Amino acid sequence: AEVTDVARQAIAASSTAIVHPAEFYVAIKEPALFAKAGDTLQPEILAVDPKGARVARVPVKVELVQRTWTLARQASGGAYRSVMAPVDKVVAACSVTTAQAPERCALAVPSAGYFLVHATAADRRGNPVGAAAPIYAMGEGAVGWGGRRACW
């Protein structure tokens, strides 16, 4: 803010503040980056407050989301351009209630592909919070990993 007095002298000041999106954060201990189709993942889930203290009794929904990509050609000024978009599908889900120690639940990896372990919750005011961790699953079948030529 800046204020100017009658003598046209300006005085200015500013301040910063950290605004947390919710009363707590959801945390996932990242599982191994690579898994095999058919494996069962058991991600470790915590809730922590903005100071890092663990928060118990928070219900958390945990999902295994399979991400694939679609490729479309769009006409643009007499030429075509490629447009890729992610397509997410929940393939497994479980729930945990946080405690002082990490809680786990089981998520079965159904096939080869790229997946996200996604954990979500809401605080008392309804503010949504979440965390995600990537997983690459190896196995039989065609898989697109994203990138420029993922669907070609």
Side-chain angles (χ1 to χ4, degrees), residues 67-133:
R67 178 165 287 175
T68 56
W69 287 264
T70 60
L71 175 65
R73 303 266 186 214
Q74 286 184 342
S76 176
Y80 289 96
R81 65 184 186 114
S82 298
V83 178
M84 290 187 66
V87 177
D88 291 344
K89 177 184 173 186
V90 176
V91 295
C94 58
S95 296
V96 298
T97 299
T98 62
Q100 291 301 310
E103 291 294 321
R104 297 175 186 228
C105 64
L107 299 168
V109 179
S111 62
Y114 177 71
F115 297 86
L116 296 167
V117 175
H118 194 230
T120 57
D123 69 9
R124 292 177 292 174
R125 299 177 300 207
N127 296 316
V129 292

